[in-house]
Amino acid sequence: MTTPKSRRLERIAPLLTGKVLPTDRTVDALQEVLEPGDRVALEGNNQKQADFLSRSLARVDPGRVHSLHMVMSCLTRPEHLDLFEDGIAERADFAYSGPQSLRVAQMMSEGTLKVGAIHTYLELYARMYLDLFPQVSLVAAEKGDREGNLYTGPNTEDTPVTCETAAFRGGLVVAQVNELVESGELPRVDIPGDWVDVVVPADRPYQLEALFTRDPRKITDVQILMAMLAIRGVYERHEVVSVNHGIGFNTAAVELLLPTYAESLGLKGRICRDFALNPHPTLIPAIESGWVRSIMPFGGEVGMADYCAAHPEIFPVGPDGTMRSNRMAAQTAGLYANDMFIGSTLQIDADGNSSTVTSGRISGFGGAPNLGYSPHGRRHSSPAWLNLAGSEGGRGRKLVVQMVETFGERGLPHFVESLDAVRVGREAGLPVTPVMIYGDDVTHLVTENGVAYLYKCRDLAERRQAVAWAAGATELGRARDRKHDAALHRAGIIASPEDLGVRRTDARRSLLAARSVEDLVEWSGGLYQPPSKFRSW
Amino acid sequence: MTTPKSRRLERIAPLLTGKVLPTDRTVDALQEVLEPGDRVALEGNNQKQADFLSRSLARVDPGRVHSLHMVMSCLTRPEHLDLFEDGIAERADFAYSGPQSLRVAQMMSEGTLKVGAIHTYLELYARMYLDLFPQVSLVAAEKGDREGNLYTGPNTEDTPVTCETAAFRGGLVVAQVNELVESGELPRVDIPGDWVDVVVPADRPYQLEALFTRDPRKITDVQILMAMLAIRGVYERHEVVSVNHGIGFNTAAVELLLPTYAESLGLKGRICRDFALNPHPTLIPAIESGWVRSIMPFGGEVGMADYCAAHPEIFPVGPDGTMRSNRMAAQTAGLYANDMFIGSTLQIDADGNSSTVTSGRISGFGGAPNLGYSPHGRRHSSPAWLNLAGSEGGRGRKLVVQMVETFGERGLPHFVESLDAVRVGREAGLPVTPVMIYGDDVTHLVTENGVAYLYKCRDLAERRQAVAWAAGATELGRARDRKHDAALHRAGIIASPEDLGVRRTDARRSLLAARSVEDLVEWSGGLYQPPSKFRSW
């Protein structure tokens, strides 16, 4: 039977040997396979990138291949945006644009880049299964064989969803592989061969960012203070066992205080046991000290492969002995199985809304919107969840914690009256202001001033008072009517370091279980192999 | 290296030829593989059941295998509960117990069955990835080969998650197959062989329930009236394009009115285009009339395999030409990609909370809690979603619609002052009342009296007035203070059939696009093959 897919495959048949495409014919093959207006999924998130395929796609003739509708987790590489400038692509549905956020904002306002929507990861996957399935998927794997079977290694990430949503919707799957092997020689099969149509050896291994590596050397005393406040005022108080930690130095500090400060408080086994989390190197001391029971990773982390493989009791490791991550599964775990999301942001407004979209930049939020709200569909209980229960039916609530210093780089306040996102969203013509986490979803704010228990606020006015208190010496904080502070304090809505039994002078780097990347390597027994930019010894 | 898994595999090695276990050694093998206290995932949902393995498990010696912790979507077969009575299992985490709900409630109160929690499907999968991964998974597939590769056919459902969460956590996967085939002879690979340890030909094909088949003959005039009200008052008014329909005759009526009543209103292409849905036979006329663009199915449906295979432009169909469902993906689509959930319930209380847990029965809610709330993590817009936007930041809201006649079988009211679930939950020692969908998540109520737009209510008092109006002639409805009705009407919170331009006398069975299962078969061009219990010609 002739199908749209079989016609595409016919056109590239002369270029293939079985399913194998020679590296140097990739641009030709993409030109033959793609049709104007196609919906194309291009694998690439904040870690792993199918960059050989994206670089090849950027080289096709826009006279032949144009007006593509890109569906991709992340618009993060320069050539991703070249696609739009050159007219090869026209429209994008995505979730994150971090390093390209300035150019994305510019191209959106110029109309060069038409945006369907900026999703959270899990939402984008949901739509790929329902109404955004691709005609062509371009993915990346560590190894592939001649039958199309793929081995992803620890960076499985988005590959399964990107393949499945094409393979089962009449779409075509093209996989770049770091290495082509003979049949039967893959360590394991992550994607069955009959889901994959074309395997092409890449010109070089796919790009991989060490996005979750934080050098303990850069953790400041203020971050350590905030971590101590979080441990006492949030983790301990609510018995938080199951956690997602955002990216950043604040939560890295928490991780490095577990085997020291938290252990001295007798909290081992009582907090921080199960994580939806990338393999953060800063978790190694806690793992080695017996704090951690289970980690479900979104992706892998550069240099952590051997360490993870050596800990199959904690990480998901296959029969082959290497880790398998799964971004869709980990996002689901973070949504429904974790009791707490704790992360950072760039701006918080007077209502408690937060956003990383700042002046002229449209970054998207990746996983945060999905992780940072309490799902009303949750039906299992835990002490932490029940601890935040209101009156109605006794149902509990997930903890959603924003942890942020009042001032950031260059003395810019993290607390502002109104988010830059309001103006940026308006200028870019977005239908809704690009808020990362809504104020009414945030349950706790942690700053160097202490903890604000926003979930206890009776109304928006009280929440605004608590946010302003946490905002400290910023303009927002200073403008507050201080007469509310005492009432908030009596109601247990705000707590200072002293209230929480934390001495500011105790917040010192000597509390960190590891004070350098070298220390982390030592904790790991030499299994952690940090990328060169993190090596200073 | 010796691992817990390798020790288990060693014990059954004498029973296996490669990975193949003879049917008649299954009980022996389970006795050797399982250890007391193991966490065991047993595949089985409201459709497909690994019933050969569950029947075999029920026959092991409780002296050797006991105190198992079962993790399973559904506790629905008699032997599932025998496991607990016989001491083979002790504890369960599950999502649904429909036909066994009475016995579940009894065994819970006696303490024979200890319940971790009653989840919604997606939540249970989330926990299987994080903190409830199984030591042993028992799954079912249509075909398997000697290398362990599995082909699931259209009923893929929970198999991928049940395999992955064991295979990548040092667990063991045992698959019952309807048919054992030679290597290379599977139509396609749904589960790679290296994820599977044991393949056993079942004594008979796995049990499969035709759960989503509704005989149009049984659709009543009142259900047709309600469907007309829903189409005009909800679908049309909010331009609902992307939908999840619950199980039941009410939404079956909607499906059968699309090519007739809704078409006469000029709604084709404007509503009901994309569905997260099982392959409902009652959708065939709408599909054949060009209403439907995409369906993402939770599972398959008995008799629908050929019809789905013939429509790869609508259903996810693999390169092999058969459908692949995926319950985890479809639940995610229903959560994040759909604009509306519309379903039914057994009881609604004065606040609008609903539950299918009634006197003495603990049924669980399957997917409803996940599908029936508006996820705050959603960041894409649609006309329907924006249509329900409040003031704050313009963010929209998913429609969550409960559609229910005021009185049910045997004249019992569906509207009650207080849910039976409150007492049942208390008696069973559940930490939280087993509510299916919370009143503050419900946006619309549809009864034969009209539509109540609960999302417009300013406070709980007003919501209670609107619920009581919808409750009509039930005690709850009659006890209301009717002086509020006029104000609710003026505020557009309630709408009668007349308000919506629906004439009660027009609600007749002649409006249905198909009035019998035979009609559905005809619409399908003979591709739909209903099971014999639905054949009456």
Side-chain angles (χ1 to χ4, degrees):
Chain A
M1 198 176 69
T2 315
T3 64
K5 176 172 172 174
S6 68
R7 281 192 296 272
R8 291 171 196 261
L9 282 173
E10 235 166 68
R11 295 199 297 263
I12 53 167
L15 302 173
L16 301 180
T17 308
K19 291 185 175 183
V20 178
L21 174 71
T23 309
D24 60 5
R25 301 306 302 273
T26 305
V27 177
D28 299 327
L30 290 175
Q31 273 180 180
E32 292 294 341
V33 150
L34 292 165
E35 296 172 8
D38 271 350
R39 200 154 52 215
V40 176
L42 173 57
E43 186 176 9
N45 50 53
N46 45 11
Q47 301 184 257
K48 169 196 188 185
Q49 296 285 349
D51 64 312
F52 170 62
L53 290 174
S54 60
R55 284 182 279 115
S56 299
L57 182 59
R59 288 171 54 207
V60 300
D61 174 3
R64 291 184 58 182
V65 178
H66 54 82
S67 314
L68 299 180
H69 176 177
M70 305 302 296
V71 178
M72 45 203 298
S73 286
C74 292
L75 271 170
T76 39
R77 290 177 51 86
E79 77 269 12
H80 290 167
L81 295 189
D82 295 345
L83 293 174
F84 297 89
E85 278 184 354
D86 297 344
I88 296 168
E90 177 178 285
R91 191 180 174 80
D93 277 279
F94 66 104
Y96 182 70
S97 72
Q100 300 294 335
S101 54
L102 191 62
R103 205 167 149 208
V104 163
Q106 286 167 346
M107 288 172 64
M108 279 176 72
S109 66
E110 287 161 11
T112 324
L113 167 62
K114 295 189 177 69
V115 170
I118 309 176
H119 306 73
T120 186
Y121 290 131
L122 192 59
E123 176 189 21
L124 185 63
Y125 306 150
R127 296 195 63 196
M128 289 173 74
Y129 280 102
L130 186 67
D131 65 341
L132 289 181
F133 40 87
Q135 272 88 44
V136 176
S137 272
L138 308 174
V139 306
E142 203 162 308
K143 298 181 185 188
D145 71 15
R146 294 179 183 282
E147 267 87 56
N149 296 294
L150 303 180
Y151 165 68
T152 60
N155 290 83
T156 317
E157 309 188 357
D158 306 13
T159 314
V161 54
T162 315
C163 291
E164 182 176 353
T165 52
F168 291 88
R169 290 287 188 173
L172 206 131
V173 177
V174 180
Q176 71 169 70
V177 297
N178 295 351
E179 191 186 342
L180 182 69
V181 302
E182 293 308 311
S183 299
E185 292 191 356
L186 290 179
R188 72 168 185 249
V189 176
D190 287 291
I191 309 294
D194 49 15
W195 300 19
V196 177
D197 303 288
V198 178
V199 177
V200 53
D203 55 355
R204 54 175 190 257
Y206 59 70
Q207 184 199 345
L208 194 57
E209 285 296 315
L211 200 76
F212 295 89
T213 300
R214 290 290 168 273
D215 187 341
R217 230 180 279 274
K218 296 187 176 165
I219 295 176
T220 65
D221 288 351
V222 178
Q223 285 161 345
I224 293 168
L225 172 65
M226 287 169 54
M228 293 167 74
L229 295 172
I231 288 171
R232 293 233 65 168
V234 183
Y235 293 81
E236 178 183 15
R237 177 169 298 194
H238 303 292
E239 299 180 58
V240 181
V241 166
S242 182
V243 188
N244 165 254
H245 278 181
I247 192 171
F249 284 99
N250 296 334
T251 42
V254 171
E255 291 158 14
L256 291 171
L257 290 184
L258 293 178
T260 55
Y261 178 66
E263 188 124 357
S264 74
L265 297 169
L267 297 178
K268 188 164 154 180
R270 290 172 50 206
I271 65 167
C272 280
R273 200 183 53 188
D274 302 320
F275 294 88
L277 207 66
N278 279 279
H280 293 182
T282 41
L283 257 183
I284 293 172
I287 293 171
E288 294 299 318
S289 307
W291 275 72
V292 181
R293 192 179 65 167
S294 167
I295 292 176
M296 179 61 215
F298 304 93
E301 181 65 3
V302 181
M304 285 289 282
D306 289 352
Y307 183 78
C308 295
H311 289 283
E313 77 286 6
I314 288 173
F315 295 97
V317 169
D320 63 306
T322 64
M323 194 178 85
R324 176 177 160 103
S325 56
N326 183 329
R327 195 170 301 273
M328 183 167 169
Q331 284 288 340
T332 306
L335 173 64
Y336 266 127
N338 278 157
D339 287 334
M340 178 165 89
F341 163 81
I342 178 166
S344 202
T345 186
L346 289 179
Q347 289 192 329
I348 297 183
D349 76 9
D351 289 352
N353 299 305
S354 58
S355 188
T356 51
V357 165
T358 54
S359 190
R361 291 181 181 273
I362 296 184
S363 57
F365 309 121
N370 173 62
L371 303 162
Y373 79 95
S374 186
H376 295 193
R378 174 170 167 167
R379 292 291 178 273
H380 76 281
S381 296
S382 68
W385 187 79
L386 285 174
N387 202 261
L388 263 66
S391 51
E392 260 188 285
R395 58 188 141 147
R397 185 169 174 182
K398 186 203 276 185
L399 285 82
V400 176
V401 185
Q402 290 285 15
M403 191 174 179
V404 60
E405 278 180 68
T406 50
F407 288 93
E409 284 170 25
R410 290 167 290 132
L412 284 176
H414 281 146
F415 287 85
V416 293
E417 180 59 40
S418 170
L419 298 175
D420 288 359
V422 175
R423 191 170 42 79
V424 175
R426 201 172 40 228
E427 283 170 8
L430 296 178
V432 177
T433 297
V435 171
M436 181 172 73
I437 297 178
Y438 286 99
D440 45 13
D441 285 321
V442 177
T443 60
H444 299 71
L445 271 181
V446 180
T447 71
E448 71 273 25
N449 299 309
V451 179
Y453 297 87
L454 300 188
Y455 74 94
K456 292 185 176 180
C457 294
R458 286 163 302 182
D459 53 28
L460 180 59
E462 202 166 60
R463 196 204 312 159
R464 290 173 62 96
Q465 293 162 12
V467 171
W469 172 83
T474 61
E475 206 179 309
L476 184 75
R478 282 184 284 116
R480 80 184 187 276
D481 187 344
R482 284 167 197 263
K483 76 166 193 283
H484 298 304
D485 290 0
L488 292 173
H489 191 260
R490 271 196 309 277
I493 293 174
I494 60 174
S496 67
E498 293 68 32
D499 294 329
L500 298 169
V502 174
R503 289 203 303 194
R504 293 172 200 261
T505 49
D506 285 351
R508 286 192 313 268
R509 287 183 40 83
S510 57
L511 277 182
L512 297 175
R515 287 183 282 284
S516 66
V517 172
E518 199 176 354
D519 285 354
L520 293 174
V521 174
E522 199 179 315
W523 270 105
S524 78
L527 290 173
Y528 171 44
Q529 287 140 356
S532 53
K533 67 174 171 176
F534 289 102
R535 288 174 187 273
S536 50
W537 60 95
Chain B
M1 199 176 69
T2 314
T3 63
K5 175 173 172 173
S6 68
R7 282 192 296 273
R8 292 171 195 260
L9 280 173
E10 236 166 65
R11 296 200 298 264
I12 53 166
L15 302 173
L16 301 180
T17 308
K19 292 185 173 182
V20 178
L21 174 72
T23 309
D24 60 4
R25 302 306 302 274
T26 305
V27 176
D28 299 328
L30 290 175
Q31 273 181 181
E32 292 295 341
V33 151
L34 292 165
E35 296 172 7
D38 271 350
R39 200 154 51 214
V40 177
L42 174 57
E43 186 176 8
N45 51 53
N46 46 11
Q47 303 184 256
K48 168 194 187 187
Q49 295 286 350
D51 64 312
F52 170 63
L53 290 173
S54 60
R55 285 182 280 117
S56 301
L57 182 59
R59 290 172 52 208
V60 300
D61 174 4
R64 293 183 58 181
V65 177
H66 53 83
S67 314
L68 300 180
H69 176 176
M70 305 303 296
V71 178
M72 45 203 298
S73 286
C74 292
L75 271 170
T76 38
R77 290 177 50 87
E79 79 268 12
H80 291 166
L81 295 190
D82 295 346
L83 292 173
F84 297 89
E85 278 184 355
D86 297 344
I88 296 168
E90 178 178 282
R91 192 181 173 79
D93 277 279
F94 66 103
Y96 181 70
S97 71
Q100 301 294 334
S101 55
L102 192 62
R103 206 168 148 206
V104 163
Q106 286 166 348
M107 289 173 62
M108 280 176 72
S109 65
E110 287 160 9
T112 322
L113 167 63
K114 294 189 177 70
V115 170
I118 309 176
H119 307 73
T120 187
Y121 290 130
L122 193 59
E123 176 189 21
L124 185 64
Y125 306 149
R127 296 195 63 197
M128 289 173 73
Y129 280 101
L130 186 67
D131 65 341
L132 289 181
F133 40 86
Q135 272 88 45
V136 176
S137 272
L138 309 174
V139 304
E142 202 162 308
K143 299 182 183 187
D145 70 16
R146 292 177 185 282
E147 267 86 56
N149 296 295
L150 303 181
Y151 165 68
T152 60
N155 290 83
T156 317
E157 307 187 358
D158 306 14
T159 314
V161 53
T162 316
C163 291
E164 181 176 353
T165 54
F168 291 88
R169 290 288 188 174
L172 206 131
V173 177
V174 180
Q176 71 168 69
V177 297
N178 295 351
E179 191 186 342
L180 182 69
V181 302
E182 293 308 313
S183 297
E185 293 192 355
L186 289 179
R188 71 169 186 247
V189 176
D190 287 290
I191 309 294
D194 49 15
W195 301 19
V196 177
D197 302 289
V198 178
V199 177
V200 54
D203 56 354
R204 54 176 190 256
Y206 58 70
Q207 184 200 343
L208 194 56
E209 286 296 315
L211 201 75
F212 294 90
T213 301
R214 291 291 169 273
D215 187 341
R217 229 180 281 274
K218 296 186 179 167
I219 295 176
T220 65
D221 288 350
V222 178
Q223 285 162 344
I224 293 168
L225 172 64
M226 287 168 55
M228 293 166 75
L229 295 172
I231 287 171
R232 295 233 63 168
V234 183
Y235 293 81
E236 178 183 12
R237 177 170 299 195
H238 302 292
E239 299 180 58
V240 181
V241 165
S242 181
V243 187
N244 166 253
H245 279 182
I247 192 171
F249 285 100
N250 296 334
T251 41
V254 171
E255 291 159 13
L256 291 171
L257 290 184
L258 293 179
T260 56
Y261 177 67
E263 188 125 356
S264 74
L265 296 170
L267 297 177
K268 188 164 154 182
R270 290 172 50 206
I271 65 168
C272 281
R273 200 183 53 191
D274 303 320
F275 294 87
L277 207 66
N278 278 279
H280 294 183
T282 41
L283 257 184
I284 294 173
I287 293 171
E288 294 298 318
S289 308
W291 275 72
V292 180
R293 192 179 65 168
S294 168
I295 293 176
M296 179 63 216
F298 304 93
E301 180 65 4
V302 180
M304 286 288 284
D306 289 350
Y307 184 78
C308 295
H311 290 282
E313 77 286 6
I314 288 173
F315 295 97
V317 169
D320 64 306
T322 64
M323 195 178 82
R324 175 176 160 103
S325 55
N326 183 329
R327 195 171 302 272
M328 182 167 170
Q331 285 288 339
T332 306
L335 174 63
Y336 266 128
N338 278 158
D339 287 335
M340 177 164 91
F341 163 82
I342 178 165
S344 202
T345 186
L346 290 178
Q347 288 191 329
I348 297 182
D349 76 9
D351 289 352
N353 299 305
S354 58
S355 190
T356 51
V357 165
T358 53
S359 190
R361 292 182 180 272
I362 295 185
S363 57
F365 308 121
N370 173 61
L371 302 164
Y373 79 96
S374 186
H376 295 192
R378 173 169 169 169
R379 293 291 178 273
H380 77 281
S381 297
S382 68
W385 187 80
L386 285 174
N387 203 260
L388 264 66
S391 51
E392 261 189 284
R395 58 188 142 147
R397 185 170 174 182
K398 187 205 274 186
L399 285 83
V400 177
V401 185
Q402 291 284 16
M403 191 174 178
V404 60
E405 277 180 67
T406 50
F407 288 94
E409 285 170 23
R410 289 167 291 131
L412 283 176
H414 282 145
F415 286 84
V416 294
E417 180 59 40
S418 170
L419 297 175
D420 286 1
V422 175
R423 191 171 41 79
V424 175
R426 202 171 41 230
E427 283 171 10
L430 297 177
V432 177
T433 297
V435 171
M436 181 172 73
I437 296 178
Y438 285 99
D440 45 15
D441 285 322
V442 177
T443 59
H444 299 71
L445 271 180
V446 179
T447 72
E448 71 273 25
N449 299 309
V451 178
Y453 297 87
L454 301 187
Y455 74 94
K456 292 185 175 179
C457 295
R458 284 163 303 182
D459 53 29
L460 180 59
E462 202 167 60
R463 196 202 316 158
R464 289 173 62 97
Q465 293 162 12
V467 171
W469 172 81
T474 61
E475 207 179 308
L476 184 75
R478 282 183 286 119
R480 80 182 187 279
D481 187 344
R482 285 168 196 261
K483 76 166 194 281
H484 297 305
D485 290 0
L488 293 173
H489 191 261
R490 269 195 310 277
I493 294 173
I494 59 173
S496 66
E498 293 68 32
D499 294 328
L500 298 170
V502 174
R503 289 202 304 193
R504 292 172 202 261
T505 48
D506 284 350
R508 287 192 311 268
R509 286 183 40 80
S510 57
L511 276 183
L512 297 176
R515 286 183 282 282
S516 66
V517 172
E518 199 176 352
D519 285 354
L520 293 173
V521 174
E522 200 179 314
W523 270 105
S524 78
L527 291 173
Y528 171 43
Q529 286 140 356
S532 54
K533 67 173 170 177
F534 288 103
R535 289 176 186 271
S536 50
W537 58 96

